[in-house]
Amino acid sequence: MIHQRVSLLTIAAYNLPKLRAFYQKLGWEETEISSDAYAVFKTAGVLISLYPKENIEKDSSVKLPDTPEYSKMTIAINVDTPDEVDSTYEIIKQIGGSLLKEPTNAEWGGRTAYFADPEKNIWEIAWNPTSKFDERGAMISF
């Protein structure tokens, strides 16, 4: 059996200082192991790490594109109210995120917006009326 858990999400950083600064501007807390060479941010569910592109290429034996490209996945920040989608989107706008889709009511009954960080990693801001979170704030169902 393979454990059914995601515990760490690592983003290949083309410019670690710039990408790290963006997440710091979100107000996210870093772990004590963060440094100028590797940054790790705490979230309610998983740790999000920023690791230099070259190191990921060496570790994985996979050649990544020479410049950031939009990823084939999205990472979601699920919020507690529809208004938080809008206020989070405004914060992203203020700190220089790339705004992809303004807050809108979704056909499934929630509210969403999309942005990209400085290296084109796509993020969704979402409110889902059926989401359930544990005591730490980690999503356990929707």
Side-chain angles (χ1 to χ4, degrees), residues 23 37 44 81 85-86 122:
Y23 289 99
T81 67
V85 173
D86 297 62
I122 301 172

Side-chain angles (χ1 to χ4, degrees), residues 81-112:
T81 67
D83 289 341
E84 281 184 90
V85 173
D86 297 62
S87 61
T88 302
Y89 188 81
E90 287 302 314
I91 291 169
I92 300 304
K93 185 187 296 186
Q94 291 170 10
I95 65 169
S98 297
L99 306 174
L100 302 176
K101 183 178 179 186
E102 296 209 6
T104 58
N105 292 325
E107 61 184 51
W108 45 266
R111 187 158 178 82
T112 65

Side-chain angles (χ1 to χ4, degrees), residues 110-126:
R111 187 158 178 82
T112 65
Y114 285 85
F115 70 93
D117 68 20
E119 295 191 358
K120 298 185 176 181
N121 297 294
I122 301 172
W123 286 80
E124 176 187 24
I125 308 162

Side-chain angles (χ1 to χ4, degrees), residues 30-106:
E30 289 184 76
T31 68
E32 57 282 345
I33 65 168
S34 285
S35 68
D36 291 340
Y38 179 61
V40 182
F41 293 87
K42 298 177 182 180
T43 73
V46 301
L47 294 175
I48 295 184
S49 69
L50 308 176
Y51 197 48
K53 169 191 169 286
E54 302 78 23
N55 294 10
I56 289 178
E57 289 176 328
K58 181 180 175 192
D59 289 353
S60 68
S61 298
V62 173
K63 173 72 172 120
L64 298 173
D66 290 331
T67 58
E69 297 179 1
Y70 286 112
S71 58
K72 296 188 295 183
M73 66 173 209
T74 62
I75 309 166
I77 300 170
N78 285 81
V79 296
D80 296 323
T81 67
D83 289 341
E84 281 184 90
V85 173
D86 297 62
S87 61
T88 302
Y89 188 81
E90 287 302 314
I91 291 169
I92 300 304
K93 185 187 296 186
Q94 291 170 10
I95 65 169
S98 297
L99 306 174
L100 302 176
K101 183 178 179 186
E102 296 209 6
T104 58
N105 292 325

